[in-house]
Amino acid sequence: MKNIPNIAFQGKDRKSVFELLNLSDLFERLDNIEDHEPRQPHRISFFALLIVTKGTGTHQIDLKDYKVEEGTVLKIAKGQVHSFQRNATYQGFLIIFTEEFLMNYFSKSSINLISNLYNYHLSSPVFKNKIDNEILIHQLQSEIALENSFAHRNIMAAFLDLYLLKLERKSPDNYIPKNKSKQFYTFDQFKSLVETNFTNTRNVKDYANLLFITTKTLNSAVKEFTLNTAKNFIDDYVILEIKRDMMSTNKSLKEIAFDTGFDEVTNFTKFFKKKMKVSPKEFKNQHFF
């Protein structure tokens, strides 16, 4: 059985929590990476920013291909599944950083505002940001080149913090009014619970109980940010996880069913067909063969 690889942060040393990678260098050594095939879907346990400075191409995130060109930045959140284009020729940089880096070097207010890092459900991960991209890369490269390492991580985080805040400001969908901050916190907590418990329960009441709120309050918070019910959010996330598992074509549908919390394959098939209008087998044949 072949599963989607879960890739941990691999910096130049074990103490690394942040790294700036030149894409040209990275593409040259993709064939030498032993623990996974970067051009096949793999799940990351850190955050990434793919910044394109020259050329065009594509990059896949959660089954969707995004076009990239000069000035494009793609935000890839912790837990998402992505893959690099085969024979990619575009140029740029990949910035990778851990949740530890965020928590230790970003202010709490910044983390709350940079909502899309945690909530890729809310908006597209692709932005055009050529000028700010160039400024960020120049700042990071200049800091890395310095021999004086005093407050190095703090300075790198400050550059990245400002860049991400400016990036989020370009997306009005990510602005959270003060009177909605409590609802956003509820939605954010709910999202995290779904991501860790979806194989155990798809029941809205169970999640409301875990949050010590009513199902009405939970539905109100979810609808505020997704225009959908809590039940639909749960089901959509389960479908996403099923699709992620299907990316590994050597994994049987029966295995996927059990791994995503279904006791019976028939229930798994009914659930998938109700949401996708085709059976899991038909969907897999259409997209992965």
Side-chain angles (χ1 to χ4, degrees), residues 19-211:
E19 193 162 0
L20 175 67
L21 303 171
N22 187 300
L23 286 177
S24 296
D25 296 338
L26 177 63
F27 291 156
E28 284 184 3
R29 56 187 177 89
L30 288 185
D31 290 331
N32 298 320
I33 296 177
E34 297 180 354
D35 62 344
H36 70 288
E37 167 52 84
R39 288 155 294 204
Q40 291 292 329
H42 55 283
R43 190 192 304 267
I44 59 174
S45 61
F46 48 88
F47 298 100
L49 292 169
L50 189 148
I51 295 175
V52 177
T53 58
K54 187 177 181 181
T56 61
T58 61
H59 193 85
Q60 188 182 87
I61 305 175
D62 283 335
L63 278 177
K64 185 173 181 180
D65 289 328
Y66 293 92
K67 292 182 179 180
V68 296
E69 60 185 4
E70 182 181 353
T72 297
V73 55
L74 279 181
K75 296 192 292 185
I76 310 168
K78 175 184 175 182
Q80 287 195 285
V81 172
H82 80 120
S83 59
F84 290 97
Q85 176 187 352
R86 290 191 176 278
N87 303 315
T89 58
Y90 60 85
Q91 298 175 24
F93 296 86
L94 183 69
I95 299 172
I96 57 177
F97 52 100
T98 65
E99 190 166 25
E100 176 190 350
F101 183 73
L102 277 177
M103 295 303 178
N104 289 338
Y105 297 100
F106 280 52
S107 68
K108 185 177 180 180
S109 60
S110 289
I111 292 172
N112 290 337
L113 288 170
I114 304 169
S115 58
N116 202 44
L117 283 173
Y118 295 92
N119 293 291
Y120 51 86
H121 310 274
L122 299 182
S123 65
S124 169
V126 62
F127 286 82
K128 289 296 291 295
N129 201 36
K130 182 180 177 181
I131 295 176
D132 286 335
N133 289 350
E134 292 174 351
I135 292 172
L136 175 67
I137 296 302
H138 175 72
Q139 289 174 326
L140 294 178
Q141 288 179 324
S142 297
E143 175 61 26
I144 290 171
L146 289 177
E147 293 184 7
N148 187 344
S149 61
F150 176 76
H152 175 70
R153 288 186 181 178
N154 303 73
I155 293 170
M156 300 284 271
F159 292 147
L160 186 59
D161 187 352
L162 179 59
Y163 170 83
L164 290 171
L165 287 172
K166 291 169 72 175
L167 198 64
E168 291 303 298
R169 187 169 62 182
K170 292 178 180 291
S171 177
D173 293 336
N174 291 334
Y175 175 67
I176 310 299
K178 287 185 177 180
N179 65 330
K180 300 295 183 182
S181 60
K182 185 175 180 180
Q183 282 186 304
F184 179 77
Y185 177 79
T186 298
F187 168 72
D188 190 50
Q189 293 295 103
F190 167 68
K191 179 195 76 73
S192 297
L193 286 172
V194 171
E195 291 174 348
T196 55
N197 293 283
F198 74 95
T199 59
N200 300 320
T201 179
R202 298 191 298 277
N203 190 306
V204 175
K205 188 173 181 180
D206 290 339
Y207 290 101
N209 289 339
L210 288 170
L211 292 167

